[in-house]
Amino acid sequence: MPASPSQPHSTPARSSDVGRRRPPLALVDVKIRPTLFGAQHIRRSCKRGAWRASPVSASARTFTDSILESTPAPPTMASGLPNPTSTWELVSGQYYRKLTLFTPSWAHEEDLNLDDYLVAGAPFGGALALWKDPRKFHTYQGVQSAKPSITICNLAGGLLRRITWDRGPIQAIGWSDDEHLLVVTADGSVRCYYDFQGNFTQFSLGSDAEEHGVVSCRFWGTGFVALLGNNAFVTVNRYDEPRPRPLALPKLPSPESKIHSWAIIPPNYSDSRHVEVIMATDQTILIVDATESQDQILQNGPFHHISVSPNGSYVALYTGDGKVWVIDVKFQQKLSEYDSGKTGEIPIDVQWCGVDSVVLVWEDEVHMVGPNGAALRWYYDNRVNLVPEMDGIRMITTEKCEFLQRVPDVTRSIFEFGSSSPPAGLLEAVGHLERKSPKADDAIQLIRPSLPEAVAACVQAAGHEFDVGWQKQLLKAASFGKSVLELYNSDDFVEMCKTLRVLNAVRYYEVGLGITMDQLERLTPDKLIERLVARQEHLLALRISDYLSLPTDKIYIHWACMKVKLSVDDEDAICKDIVEKLKNERGIAYDAIAKAAFEEGRGRLATQLLNHEPRAGRQVPLLMSMEEDEIALDKAIESTDSDLVFYVLLHLKKKLPVATFFRMINNRPVAYSLIESSARYHDTELLKDLYYQDDRKTDGANVILRESLSQENFTTRIDKLKLASKLLKDSKDHLVEASALEESIRLLTLQESLERDIFEESFVGLPLNETIFKLTRLGFYPRANKIRAEFKMPDKRFWWIKLRGLVAKREWAEIEEWSKSKSSPIGWEPFFNECLSAGNTKVAAIFIPKCKNLNHTERINMWVQCGMIVKAGEEAVTARDYHALEALLPKATGAAVPEIQRMMQKLRPSK
Amino acid sequence: MKPSTKKNSQFFIESWLTSRTAQIKSAPRIPGQDFEHSLFFVPRRTPLCDRILEDEGVFGDVTINEYPLYFIPLEPDVLSLELDDAFEDLYLHKTYTSIFNSAKALMLLQQQYGLFPRITGKGDKGKRLMDALMRMRNEAAAEDASTSMALAPSSIIDNLIIIDRETDLVTPLLTQLTYEGLIDETFGLNNSHVELEASLLGSAGQTPADSTGRSVGVPAAPQAKKRKVLLEGSDRVFSELRNVNFSAVPAILKKTALRIDADFKKKDDCKTVSEMKTYVTKVLGPAQKDRTSLSMHFNIAEVIQKHINTELFEKTLEVQQSLIAGYSSTQQHELLTELIARGASLETVLRLLCLYSCVNTGFKPKDFDLFRREILQGYGYEHVLTLAALEKVALFQSRTVAGSASTAASRTNYDYLRNRLKLFNENINESEPNDIVYVYSVYAPLSVRLVQCVIQKSEMVLAAKGEKTLGPNSAGWKGFEDVVKHVGGKTFDELQKAPQNMLTAKMILDGQNEKKVTVVFFLGGITYTEIAALRWIAQKEGERRQIIIATTGIINGNKIIHAATADAQTKPTPH
C-alpha cells in the first residue's frame, strides 16, 4: 500500500460547516507530544510509512522493553513526577480526585463563553453537543451565526461537526451509548444523527406529542423518555427501529398539580426490566412504568431535583428547603441527608458522581456530597456543566474539562500519605532501584510474602492513572516485582500495557476521548473502534484493531464510503484506488460502499464497485434502488434465497405492467414458480392471466376448478365447472378429466334434486360411489340402480358398493334375496366376509356353499369361522379329509362332539 | 396462534415464504392497541417480512425479532429442520425455499465442525443444494477472516451424502413395517409426537408422556380424549422397539415385561438399608417408568396388530410386495379396482397407484384412463387437481409421458436396480435381520442402498456378485458409477480441499479422530424405516463409522399424498 501521507485520509471536511479547517484527518503528519508516549508509539509506526505496520509483538518482555526504550526514563523519574495526591480531597474518610482531562481549545470561536450554551455529553468520555441556550440573550454576531446550530466537539474542544438547525425549537439533546446524537423538538419529532457527517434518521413521537408538545426528555444508553405537555410520558426503547410507546398516565394528586422534576430508571436497572419514571409532584413522588403509576406517599416535597445513581439503586432528591436526601430506590430508607444551606436558590443540576456521592451545581458553585452527608465545595468563574459517567462525573467549563471520581482503592493504597501497603513498598523499592540504592532489595524483602498481590495492585493502579509518567512508574514497579517472583503469569500485565497504550492513544488531544479504564471495559474495544471511525480516525482505528486483533473490515468500508463521498477525483480513479487498497482484505462489503456512491449520485461508480461484491444477495437491494431490475432479479436468483427473489418480484409486480412482468419471469423458472405458488392462494386472477398468456389451458382450468370448489353458490359452482371442462377439452390431452368434469356437473345436479326429495340428508359434493352407497344404505334401491345405469358404473364396483350398503343397513333379508341370483361378478366370498365381519354368522354361512371356486380346506375354515363345526365336518367328509376332521374335534362342543366322532368313524375304515 | 390476554403477546412465525403471509397478516390483527405484540421470525427476518408487514400496515405496531432455528435434534443421531412443506416446495411448487434453508443449516454445521471433505449425492434438487452450499462457502470465505480457520476441511466429519427424495419415491410410498414406522402409518407422528386416545396411555392414569410439562391435551369430546405423547430414545422400552420389524415386537415386549418384573423382584435381595436405598434410586425409579411405558406400548401394539390383521391391510401389502418384486400386473389391477370399490382410503389407493406408476414406468394409456376414472368417481371429481399434482411430481403418469426420452434421465429404473442392488429379498429373518431389507420385510430402501454404495462398498460388492473388488480407499460413487446411472437425477461427487498447512493445523486442533462421521442428508424428507435402516448400518459399522442423519423433515406416503390432495380440499370460505 502506498505510504503517501495524503492517503487515505486526505478527505477534507466539508467547507460549509467549518469555521476553521480541521487539520487533515491523518495522524501521520501530526506533531508528536512527547508526554503521550502511547499515542506516539503507535503514530510513529505510521510515520515509518507502511499503512499497516508490522504487528506489535505481544509478548510481555518485548513490550515492556519497548515502553521503557521509547522514552528513556530519567534516573530520578519518581521524584520528577507530580505527587498524585495533590488532586485528592478527603470527604468523610473517602478520597476524591478531580483531574483535568483537557483544556478545551474553544479557539475556533474566539469569544465563546460556555455560559451561553447548553451542553450535552455522550457517555464514556464521548463527544459534547453545544447549542445556544434559548433562554439567554446573545450578542448579535451577524447574519451568519443567527441561524441556530448545534456544535459537536470532542472533549478537547476539537470541532467534529456543526449541524445547522432548520427545524423548530429544540427541546432536548441527548446521546446514546453508540454516540448517536438525539435532538428532540417541541413538536415531538426526533432526529437521530448516527454519524458525525450530519446524516440522520427521523421519527415522530406520535400525535399526542404533536398536539401537546414535548416539555423535556431524559436519555439512557439505548433510549429515552419524553414528558409531554399533557403530563404524559412517551418512551422509545431503541433507535434502529423506534417504536414510541406511552407509559401509564401519572395519577397526579389534583389536576392542577405540577411536575416539579423527574428522572428515569433505565430498563436494565429496573425491577420490571422496562424503563420507569420517578417524578415529583406536589409533596410526593410518583413512580410510573408502562402499566401503572404508584404514589410513594411522601410529605416533604416539593422536590426540585431527582437523580438516580448510575447503578439504579439510589435516588438523590433535592428538597424545597435546600436539603439533599439520598434514598434507596424502593423509597424505604433514607441513607443520608445534607443541608446545602441555600434555601433560596435551586441548583441548576444535581447528578451522581459514581455510586456514592452527589454533585450539585449552582451556576458557579459546586457541592459534592459524600456518603455520610459531608461535602466538598468548589467555586468557579463560570457555569459548570455536568456529564455523569458510570465511575465518576465530568465537569465542563469554558476553561477546562475535569473528571471527578472517588480515588480507586488500589490507587489509594499506594499513594495515600504514610501508606505501608505492599504495593506502596514495591513502588518505593523501584524508586530505590532507580537511584541505585541498595535499599531496593531491603524494601522488596520486606513485602516478599505479599509480592504477587503487590504486583497485581501496581498493574491495576497503572490502569487508573491518567499521568503517563506514573503509569510507567507503576508498571516498572510491577515489572521489578515480577522479576523477583519465580512464577508469575504475565497475562494481566501484558493486557494492561495494551489497554494503556490504547487509552493513551485515544486520550491524545486530537482525538479527545476522555475515557477511563473501567469505562473502556464497559464500552468494549469494538465500540471504541466504532467511535474512532465515526471521528474519521481511520488509521488510528486500524492500528488499534490490528493491535488488539479485532476485525478491520468495517474500518475499511467506512473509509471507502468516506472516500466515495468526499473525494473529488474522477470516478475511475476512485474505484481503482478503493479496489487497489482493499483487494487483500476479507469480508469487505462492497455493496455498502456502492450504496454510498449511489446515494452520492455516482451511479456509474456504484455499478463498478458493486461488481466487486462476491455475495450476490448483497447486491440486490442496491440494484433495486438503482432500478436495475433485471440484474437485481438475476442476482437474487443466483443467491438461491427465495425470500429475496420474492422480495424483488413483489417490487417488480407493483412497478411494471403485467405483460412486461410476465415476460421478465417467463424464462426464469424459479421466479415463475414463486409467482405461481404465491398467486395460487392470494391472487388467482394474476394466475389466470399468467396461464392464459402462456396458453397453459390445463393449469388455467385447474385454477377455475379450485375456484368452483370454494364457491358456495350452486349455480356459480356449476358455471365454473363448465368453464373448466371447456378449457380442458380445448387442451386435448386431458379428455378424461374434461369428461369427468361434465360428469360431475350431472352428478351435482342430480344430487341437488336428491336433496330436495330426501330431507335431512346431504348429497351435494359426495363422490359417485359414496352417493350410491348412501342411497343403498337409506334403502332407495331403484334410485341407486338408476344412477348406476346413468353413469355406466361397472358391475363389479356396483356389487361391492351395494353389498357394503346393505351390510351397513343390516338389511339381511335383502342380502338373502340377492344371493339367489345366479352368479356374482365379484364372487360370493366378499358376501361371506362382509356379513361375517358385521357379526351375522347365519347369513354369512349361506354363502359358503356358493364359494365353489375355493378348495375344501378354505371352506372348512369358513364354517369354523361361523361356528358351525358340524357343517365343517360334513365338508371334510365330502372331501374325505380325515386329518381336517381330527383338527376339528378339539373345536367342537356339546352335540357336535359325538357328531364329529361319528364322521371320523365313518372315514377311518377307508384309510 | 390465539390472541392472549397477556400484556405481552408473542408470535413465532416462519418466514419461509408466502404461504406464511396469511399468518403474518392474521397475527397482528388482534384488536386493542393496549397490547404489545412481538413477532419472532423463524429462522430469519428478511426484507420480505418487513415489506409484507408494511403492506399490511402493521409494521409500526409490533416489535420484530428473529429466532434462528435451523436443525432441531430429534434424537442424538437425527437432525431435522422439521419443514412440514418441504416436499411440496421442492417437487410440486418448485420454489426451492427448503434448499436455501437446508444449505444454511448445513453451513452452520460446517462452521462448527469444518467443511465436509467430500460431498457425494444424487438427484437434481440435491445438486442444487450442493451448489448452494458451495456458493455459501465461498461467500463465507469472503465474509470474515475469523471464520476462515473453521472453513478448513473437517477432521471429524468424513463426508456428506445428499440423497434427493426424488431419486427414490418408491420407499415412502410403501407401508413402513418397523414399529415406529407403523405407529407413523397408523396414528401419525408429528414432530416426534403421537396423538393417542387417553385410554391407550396405560394403567397409570397420569401421563409421564409429555416430558416438557406443557399441557397439550386437546380439549375434545370427553369420550374420545386425545393426548399428545412424545416418543423418543430416552424411553428405554421404546428405544428397544422402534427400529425392529413389527413381527418381532411381541417377543421384545414379552422380554421387557420379564426384565421389568425381575427389576421389581430385586428388592427381595436387598438386606441392608443402604442396599434398599440404592435399589429405590437406581432400579425402582427407571423400572416404574418402564412399566408405565410398557403398558402404553402394549396398547399401541395391540391397536396396530388389529389394524394389520384387517383384510384391507393384507391386500394392500400384497399389492405392494408383488409390485416391488416385479411380478406381472393384471392381478394387481384387479386388486386395485377392488380396493377402490370397497372404499379403501384415498391415501391407500393413491399410494398403490403411484407405486405402480413408479415401478413400471407409468401406466399404459388405457389403464391410465381407467384408473383416473376410478379415482374421480370413487373419491370425487375435485381430485382432478390431485391427479394433476401427482403427475407434476412424476408420481402418477402415463407411459407415454414417463417413458419418453426427455424424462429418462430423471427416472429411476427399478427393474435394473432390483437385481443389481438386491432391493428385493424374501428370505429374511425379521427378528434377527442380516440386511436392511427387514424394514419393509422384503424390500431394501433404494435410498439407503445408495448410502451403502458410498460407505459400505465391500458389502455391496458382495451383494452384487461378479464385481471386481475395490480398494479400501475408494470413495464417492467409485465402483458403482454404472449403477448410479440408472437412478434418476444428476450425480455429483465433490471434494472440498484446503491448503495442506491449514489441514494439519485443523487436525492438531481437533485431534485425530478414529471414528469417522458420515452425515447423510435427506432432502425432501426421510421415513422412519430409512432411519431404522441407517441405524442398523451404523450399528454394523460399529467403531469404524458414525452416521448422523439430517433431513428437511420426517415424511411418509400419506404426507406425500396429502401434499397432492391439498388443492382438492379447498372448502368454501365462510363469509
Side-chain angles (χ1 to χ4, degrees):
Chain A
M1 227 146 274
S4 132
S6 64
Q7 291 288 350
H9 302 289
S10 62
T11 50
R14 288 214 170 143
S15 55
S16 65
D17 54 48
V18 189
R20 175 197 81 145
R21 221 183 110 121
R22 261 198 93 215
L25 295 160
L27 304 157
V28 182
D29 46 5
V30 155
K31 285 185 198 75
I32 291 154
R33 272 191 170 185
T35 47
L36 289 150
F37 77 93
Q40 169 200 349
H41 189 84
I42 291 178
R43 274 142 226 272
R44 212 188 260 164
S45 58
C46 312
K47 193 150 196 187
R48 258 187 255 125
W51 208 43
R52 288 162 48 96
S54 56
V56 184
S57 163
S59 90
R61 192 66 235 157
T62 50
F63 190 79
T64 34
D65 284 351
S66 74
I67 285 189
L68 301 179
E69 278 162 17
S70 60
T71 33
T76 53
M77 182 163 184
S79 57
L81 292 168
N83 187 347
T85 55
S86 61
T87 54
W88 293 15
E89 294 194 52
L90 188 66
V91 186
S92 57
Q94 281 293 353
Y95 283 103
Y96 286 81
R97 66 180 182 188
K98 201 167 69 165
L99 304 161
T100 304
L101 294 180
F102 296 99
T103 310
S105 60
W106 313 106
H108 50 281
E109 201 134 329
E110 288 299 320
D111 45 7
L112 179 133
N113 183 359
L114 216 52
D115 290 7
D116 297 338
Y117 286 83
L118 293 172
V119 177
F124 303 110
L128 300 175
L130 318 176
W131 77 106
K132 285 207 172 140
D133 192 341
R135 285 159 296 195
K136 288 196 175 170
F137 293 105
H138 302 286
T139 41
Y140 182 71
Q141 288 171 324
V143 187
Q144 192 57 42
S145 58
K147 266 195 186 164
S149 69
I150 303 166
T151 307
I152 304 173
C153 55
N154 64 29
L155 291 182
L159 180 70
L160 293 172
R161 186 78 186 182
R162 176 163 304 148
I163 296 163
T164 319
W165 189 248
D166 52 0
R167 275 189 69 94
I170 296 172
Q171 212 60 3
I173 287 188
W175 293 89
S176 77
D177 278 353
D178 296 333
E179 225 177 11
H180 295 175
L181 179 70
L182 293 138
V183 186
V184 186
T185 61
D187 63 352
S189 85
V190 183
R191 274 188 186 178
C192 173
Y193 289 89
Y194 54 84
D195 58 11
F196 294 137
Q197 307 302 313
N199 295 319
F200 61 86
T201 55
Q202 187 167 334
F203 60 95
S204 161
L205 287 178
S207 53
D208 265 14
E210 245 166 75
E211 193 178 327
H212 302 285
V214 174
V215 176
S216 55
C217 296
R218 300 286 183 269
F219 298 85
W220 79 90
T222 58
F224 73 91
V225 178
L227 170 63
L228 307 184
N230 60 347
N231 290 341
F233 290 100
V234 177
T235 169
V236 172
N237 278 320
R238 53 201 253 204
Y239 298 123
D240 51 345
E241 279 178 26
R243 304 253 186 281
R245 296 198 193 287
L247 292 183
L249 273 179
K251 287 193 200 107
L252 298 179
S254 69
E256 291 81 38
S257 303
K258 277 174 34 188
I259 296 178
H260 303 297
S261 59
W262 62 289
I264 55 166
I265 308 174
N268 39 344
Y269 294 115
S270 73
D271 285 344
S272 60
R273 298 283 135 187
H274 289 281
V275 67
E276 289 174 13
V277 166
I278 302 180
M279 53 177 279
T281 177
D282 284 5
Q283 307 295 309
T284 186
I285 296 269
L286 302 183
I287 295 186
V288 182
D289 63 16
T291 48
E292 54 174 358
S293 144
Q294 242 179 12
D295 195 336
Q296 299 301 317
I297 319 172
L298 272 66
Q299 268 102 41
N300 314 68
F303 301 103
H304 294 291
H305 277 287
I306 303 177
S307 176
V308 179
S309 69
N311 60 0
S313 338
Y314 312 112
V315 179
L317 301 172
Y318 187 84
T319 65
D321 51 359
K323 288 186 174 133
V324 176
W325 290 9
V326 176
I327 297 178
D328 73 315
V329 81
K330 301 260 183 295
F331 288 85
Q332 297 296 317
Q333 205 185 354
K334 192 158 87 176
L335 299 166
S336 72
E337 184 178 323
Y338 163 74
D339 189 347
S340 69
K342 296 208 166 202
T343 45
E345 286 174 78
I346 298 166
I348 54 170
D349 204 0
V350 173
Q351 292 291 353
W352 282 81
C353 164
V355 293
D356 50 10
S357 53
V358 179
V359 177
L360 298 88
V361 176
W362 291 264
E363 285 294 331
D364 50 4
E365 185 176 341
V366 177
H367 292 189
M368 195 206 74
V369 186
N372 298 318
L376 289 169
R377 297 177 188 210
W378 294 284
Y379 297 93
Y380 285 80
D381 296 336
N382 312 86
R383 184 169 138 184
V384 179
N385 298 287
L386 299 179
V387 181
E389 293 277 10
M390 52 171 276
D391 56 349
I393 194 161
R394 272 184 284 151
M395 308 203 304
I396 291 144
T397 57
T398 314
E399 283 86 31
K400 49 191 166 184
C401 167
E402 292 173 308
F403 182 64
L404 175 65
Q405 73 169 159
R406 206 185 83 185
V407 174
D409 291 338
V410 278
T411 309
R412 180 178 170 174
S413 77
I414 293 173
F415 293 118
E416 191 177 11
F417 181 73
S419 168
S420 57
S421 66
L426 186 57
L427 193 64
E428 198 192 331
V430 86
H432 286 305
L433 185 74
E434 279 170 358
R435 287 192 296 276
K436 301 205 164 60
S437 156
K439 280 185 191 157
D441 190 50
D442 296 350
I444 212 140
Q445 290 311 327
L446 211 60
I447 54 162
R448 184 78 208 226
S450 42
L451 197 52
E453 295 84 56
V455 172
C458 281
V459 170
Q460 275 304 309
H464 289 298
E465 222 32 71
F466 275 73
D467 185 298
V468 180
W470 277 113
Q471 288 173 2
K472 258 193 268 187
Q473 191 66 10
L474 285 163
L475 285 179
K476 223 184 272 178
S479 175
F480 177 47
K482 80 189 179 69
S483 72
V484 177
L485 286 171
E486 274 170 23
L487 285 170
Y488 179 78
N489 182 349
S490 298
D491 287 356
D492 288 346
F493 184 82
V494 176
E495 225 18 71
M496 183 57 74
C497 291
K498 280 187 165 186
T499 310
L500 276 176
R501 282 188 78 177
V502 172
L503 281 174
N504 289 335
V506 301
R507 283 173 190 164
Y508 184 60
Y509 81 100
E510 282 246 327
V511 183
L513 281 168
I515 193 167
T516 65
M517 183 179 67
D518 290 341
Q519 288 167 18
L520 177 63
E521 201 172 306
R522 177 82 67 88
L523 181 69
T524 71
D526 299 83
K527 294 275 173 194
L528 181 75
I529 302 289
E530 271 176 33
R531 289 187 170 202
L532 290 174
V533 167
R535 285 166 170 72
Q536 306 229 26
E537 300 283 359
H538 296 112
L539 186 53
L540 180 59
L542 206 56
R543 292 256 175 278
I544 293 178
S545 285
D546 279 343
Y547 184 50
L548 300 178
S549 318
L550 295 173
T552 53
D553 52 323
K554 290 211 179 79
I555 305 170
Y556 285 109
I557 293 166
H558 191 272
W559 168 78
C561 289
M562 285 291 126
K563 173 107 183 154
V564 161
K565 279 185 187 168
L566 303 177
S567 172
V568 288
D569 296 347
D570 73 290
E571 299 196 344
D572 288 337
I574 298 175
C575 182
K576 198 166 147 259
D577 228 13
I578 291 174
V579 172
E580 184 67 22
K581 206 144 276 174
L582 305 189
K583 68 181 176 205
N584 292 325
E585 301 303 322
R586 300 170 76 98
I588 300 298
Y590 281 94
D591 62 315
I593 308 171
K595 186 158 175 266
F598 178 69
E599 278 164 4
E600 211 55 32
R602 297 180 156 180
R604 207 166 61 82
L605 178 60
T607 323
Q608 277 179 349
L609 285 167
L610 205 53
N611 287 334
H612 291 276
E613 171 59 54
R615 287 151 292 190
R618 294 258 203 143
Q619 304 180 8
V620 173
L622 183 58
L623 284 168
M624 277 165 74
S625 45
M626 285 164 70
E627 311 230 339
E628 299 280 3
D629 298 331
E630 285 215 59
I631 306 176
L633 185 56
D634 283 335
K635 290 284 180 190
I637 292 171
E638 200 184 309
S639 77
T640 63
D641 180 353
S642 44
D643 260 25
L644 191 63
V645 181
F646 196 64
Y647 179 60
V648 181
L649 286 173
L650 267 187
H651 170 80
L652 294 181
K653 197 173 98 185
K654 274 197 187 147
K655 192 177 132 184
L656 301 174
V658 180
T660 327
F661 179 63
F662 284 164
R663 249 203 314 285
M664 201 175 260
I665 63 173
N666 238 337
N667 49 356
R668 295 177 172 87
V670 173
Y672 195 96
S673 321
L674 275 168
I675 287 297
E676 207 180 337
S677 76
S678 81
R680 178 184 298 272
Y681 300 106
H682 303 116
D683 196 353
T684 43
E685 289 310 312
L686 181 84
L687 201 59
K688 277 192 253 177
D689 287 349
L690 186 65
Y691 290 148
Y692 181 76
Q693 184 120 353
D694 289 0
D695 202 28
R696 291 171 58 176
K697 294 206 177 95
T698 323
D699 293 309
N702 286 345
V703 178
I704 297 167
L705 173 56
R706 212 165 48 231
E707 279 180 351
S708 97
L709 291 180
S710 62
Q711 197 52 249
E712 262 183 300
N713 183 307
F714 191 76
T715 342
T716 338
R717 190 168 174 182
I718 298 283
D719 288 346
K720 296 239 177 211
L721 279 174
K722 277 182 186 155
L723 187 60
S725 160
K726 188 176 164 297
L727 273 170
L728 279 173
K729 236 185 216 157
D730 288 351
S731 83
K732 297 233 167 38
D733 48 347
H734 285 81
L735 292 177
V736 173
E737 279 84 353
S739 65
L741 288 188
E742 275 167 12
E743 234 174 72
S744 85
I745 298 169
R746 262 161 49 213
L747 183 64
L748 277 174
T749 334
L750 211 139
Q751 285 170 334
E752 224 221 348
S753 71
L754 280 178
E755 276 188 13
R756 260 182 273 127
D757 297 352
I758 306 165
F759 297 112
E760 291 172 6
E761 292 290 344
S762 62
F763 283 96
V764 172
L766 286 182
L768 179 64
N769 292 5
E770 282 294 301
T771 315
I772 292 182
F773 175 77
K774 194 164 183 178
L775 283 172
T776 317
R777 189 167 56 79
L778 295 171
F780 297 95
Y781 311 128
R783 277 177 199 264
N785 266 324
K786 197 173 148 250
I787 294 176
R788 171 229 174 169
E790 202 179 322
F791 285 87
K792 298 193 192 75
M793 183 181 277
D795 268 355
K796 277 192 187 176
R797 196 183 338 152
F798 180 70
W799 276 66
W800 264 112
I801 296 168
K802 186 170 172 187
L803 172 63
R804 278 167 48 225
L806 289 176
V807 170
K809 199 182 172 220
R810 316 189 77 74
E811 182 63 69
W812 308 117
E814 182 74 24
I815 294 175
E816 280 195 58
E817 191 60 32
W818 197 19
S819 72
K820 288 175 187 144
S821 43
K822 226 184 283 157
S823 67
S824 148
I826 54 173
W828 298 105
E829 224 184 317
F831 284 78
F832 168 82
N833 282 330
E834 291 290 319
C835 293
L836 184 69
S837 48
N840 193 332
T841 49
K842 212 173 119 254
V843 180
I846 299 175
F847 296 99
I848 301 174
K850 287 173 145 290
C851 295
K852 298 212 169 65
N853 55 331
L854 300 178
N855 61 31
H856 72 279
T857 331
E858 282 169 312
R859 272 204 298 277
I860 292 172
N861 204 17
M862 285 160 96
W863 289 115
V864 174
Q865 279 177 320
C866 293
M868 299 178 179
I869 305 297
V870 182
K871 282 278 188 189
E874 282 167 13
E875 196 77 45
V877 172
T878 326
R880 311 197 64 79
D881 186 342
Y882 179 75
H883 293 288
L885 271 179
E886 243 176 5
L888 281 173
L889 190 58
K891 290 180 189 145
T893 47
V897 183
E899 193 72 5
I900 296 288
Q901 282 166 343
R902 193 184 55 77
M903 287 183 208
M904 287 166 72
Q905 213 72 51
K906 205 171 131 196
L907 270 189
R908 186 171 290 163
S910 68
K911 194 180 163 189
Chain B
M1 295 207 295
K2 285 180 187 162
S4 77
T5 46
K6 276 180 287 173
K7 178 84 185 166
N8 293 321
S9 50
Q10 297 181 340
F11 300 99
F12 285 81
I13 293 181
E14 289 178 38
S15 67
W16 295 134
L17 195 72
T18 45
S19 57
R20 302 293 167 197
T21 53
Q23 280 185 341
I24 299 175
K25 276 181 209 166
S26 67
R29 284 246 179 88
I30 291 139
Q33 286 297 307
D34 304 318
F35 293 109
E36 199 169 302
H37 299 297
S38 296
L39 285 181
F40 284 81
F41 286 103
V42 181
R44 67 206 174 98
R45 175 185 179 181
T46 61
L48 179 67
C49 309
D50 292 2
R51 176 66 179 265
I52 289 167
L53 290 178
E54 263 171 44
D55 288 354
E56 291 300 316
V58 290
F59 187 65
D61 303 337
V62 288
T63 313
I64 305 165
N65 289 293
E66 63 179 9
Y67 180 44
L69 181 71
Y70 285 96
F71 276 135
I72 302 167
L74 294 183
E75 295 287 340
D77 60 343
V78 181
L79 302 172
S80 170
L81 289 166
E82 294 295 280
L83 300 174
D84 291 337
D85 48 7
F87 189 85
E88 294 99 297
D89 170 63
L90 287 167
Y91 310 116
L92 186 58
H93 303 322
K94 301 187 197 293
T95 41
Y96 306 140
T97 313
S98 355
I99 292 185
F100 182 76
N101 286 308
S102 305
K104 275 249 169 199
L106 287 171
M107 264 314 282
L108 285 180
L109 273 190
Q110 297 205 87
Q111 267 154 10
Q112 194 74 35
Y113 299 107
L115 295 178
F116 304 117
R118 190 174 198 125
I119 304 179
T120 313
K122 188 71 200 168
D124 294 348
K125 312 295 180 293
K127 180 81 167 53
R128 272 176 182 268
L129 172 60
M130 192 197 65
D131 292 344
L133 207 53
M134 291 289 183
R135 157 170 290 279
M136 278 184 194
R137 185 196 82 175
N138 291 337
E139 289 186 0
E143 189 90 16
D144 192 1
S146 57
T147 58
S148 63
M149 190 62 205
L151 286 178
S154 171
S155 59
I156 302 166
I157 298 175
D158 190 35
N159 55 353
L160 167 71
I161 303 173
I162 299 175
I163 301 286
D164 183 351
R165 186 75 272 171
E166 213 174 22
T167 59
D168 176 23
L169 285 166
V170 163
T171 303
L173 288 173
L174 294 168
T175 307
Q176 310 175 63
L177 293 180
T178 59
Y179 182 63
E180 196 174 17
L182 271 169
I183 293 179
D184 189 26
E185 299 279 351
T186 338
F187 301 96
L189 270 168
N190 283 313
N191 312 106
S192 298
H193 283 79
V194 62
E195 218 169 285
L196 294 176
E197 276 175 34
S199 59
L200 291 180
L201 288 180
S203 48
Q206 84 283 18
T207 65
D210 194 47
S211 56
T212 46
R214 285 172 292 125
S215 75
V216 285
V218 184
Q223 71 272 20
K225 205 172 177 185
K226 292 211 163 181
R227 275 254 172 70
K228 271 196 173 177
V229 182
L230 176 69
L231 291 181
E232 46 133 16
S234 65
D235 176 348
R236 281 199 294 181
V237 179
F238 181 60
S239 65
E240 275 178 50
L241 289 171
R242 64 194 308 177
N243 297 325
V244 304
N245 188 293
F246 189 76
S247 59
V249 164
I252 295 179
L253 281 174
K254 192 176 161 199
K255 212 174 75 194
T256 316
L258 289 174
R259 176 180 62 77
I260 293 172
D261 201 38
D263 280 352
F264 278 111
K265 283 207 177 105
K266 275 186 194 151
K267 71 171 182 294
D268 303 335
D269 305 338
C270 300
K271 300 282 186 310
T272 65
V273 177
S274 66
E275 272 176 29
M276 260 329 253
K277 193 182 156 200
T278 340
Y279 165 75
V280 169
T281 50
K282 293 262 169 65
V283 182
L284 191 60
Q288 273 169 343
K289 230 172 114 189
D290 286 353
R291 188 166 64 176
T292 324
S293 161
L294 184 70
S295 71
M296 180 179 79
H297 287 294
F298 261 121
N299 292 333
I300 293 177
E302 202 184 339
V303 174
I304 293 176
Q305 188 69 54
K306 242 181 234 160
H307 173 68
I308 63 180
N309 281 349
T310 57
E311 208 193 336
L312 272 183
F313 187 88
E314 277 171 17
K315 293 233 154 124
T316 313
L317 215 58
E318 189 189 330
V319 180
Q320 282 181 4
Q321 301 193 341
S322 37
L323 282 174
I324 276 302
Y327 297 151
S328 77
S329 49
T330 39
Q331 206 193 343
Q332 278 87 55
H333 279 195
E334 288 290 309
L335 279 169
L336 275 167
T337 40
E338 185 187 320
L339 283 172
I340 297 170
R342 297 179 68 174
S345 72
L346 179 64
E347 290 90 353
T348 315
V349 173
L350 283 180
R351 275 171 79 163
L352 291 175
L353 286 174
C354 294
L355 183 65
Y356 185 101
S357 169
C358 287
V359 175
N360 293 322
T361 329
F363 285 92
K364 286 186 199 130
K366 197 177 119 253
D367 296 334
F368 191 53
D369 288 355
L370 170 82
F371 279 117
R372 276 192 291 174
R373 213 169 281 130
E374 288 275 340
I375 292 289
L376 296 178
Q377 291 193 339
Y379 300 94
Y381 297 101
E382 64 271 22
H383 289 293
V384 165
L385 297 171
T386 307
L387 297 180
L390 287 173
E391 208 174 339
K392 197 170 174 194
V393 190
L395 274 172
F396 181 64
Q397 284 174 314
S398 161
R399 200 161 288 171
T400 44
V401 180
S404 66
S406 60
T407 55
S410 59
R411 278 209 83 87
T412 300
N413 183 347
Y414 282 91
D415 275 335
Y416 176 85
L417 295 168
R418 189 178 296 126
N419 292 327
R420 283 303 303 276
L421 292 179
K422 276 195 99 179
L423 296 183
F424 184 77
N425 183 1
E426 271 181 302
N427 310 315
I428 185 89
N429 181 352
E430 281 151 353
S431 341
E432 278 171 24
N434 56 6
D435 190 15
I436 56 164
V437 167
Y438 84 93
V439 297
Y440 285 105
S441 289
V442 295
Y443 165 76
L446 169 63
S447 49
V448 183
R449 279 284 194 249
L450 288 176
V451 174
Q452 283 185 302
C453 286
V454 181
I455 60 173
Q456 281 196 319
K457 289 191 186 292
S458 46
E459 285 88 339
M460 287 309 292
V461 169
L462 275 181
K465 279 167 223 127
E467 196 71 38
K468 55 182 182 295
T469 46
L470 290 162
N473 289 327
S474 55
W477 292 120
K478 200 160 181 340
F480 293 90
E481 291 90 344
D482 52 333
V483 176
V484 171
K485 237 179 263 167
H486 287 83
V487 180
K490 287 177 185 149
T491 311
F492 51 91
D493 186 16
E494 290 280 338
L495 294 176
Q496 297 200 95
K497 277 185 185 152
Q500 189 57 42
N501 56 351
M502 219 179 217
L503 206 63
T504 31
K506 182 87 190 163
M507 256 176 199
I508 292 161
L509 272 182
D510 296 338
Q512 257 304 37
N513 215 329
E514 281 303 312
K515 200 167 177 174
K516 286 183 171 162
V517 178
T518 292
V519 181
V520 182
F521 187 85
F522 271 73
L523 182 65
I526 189 170
T527 61
Y528 283 108
T529 38
E530 284 163 318
I531 293 178
L534 286 170
R535 281 184 180 147
W536 187 88
I537 294 169
Q539 206 193 333
K540 288 282 157 209
E541 288 283 303
E543 285 307 303
R544 272 178 294 165
R545 192 180 293 276
Q546 190 186 351
I547 297 179
I548 299 288
I549 304 162
T551 180
T552 49
I554 311 285
I555 204 169
N556 61 32
N558 292 351
K559 284 183 188 165
I560 291 180
I561 300 299
H562 287 158
T565 49
D567 271 350
Q569 250 115 51
T570 317
K571 288 271 146 49
T573 40
H575 294 287

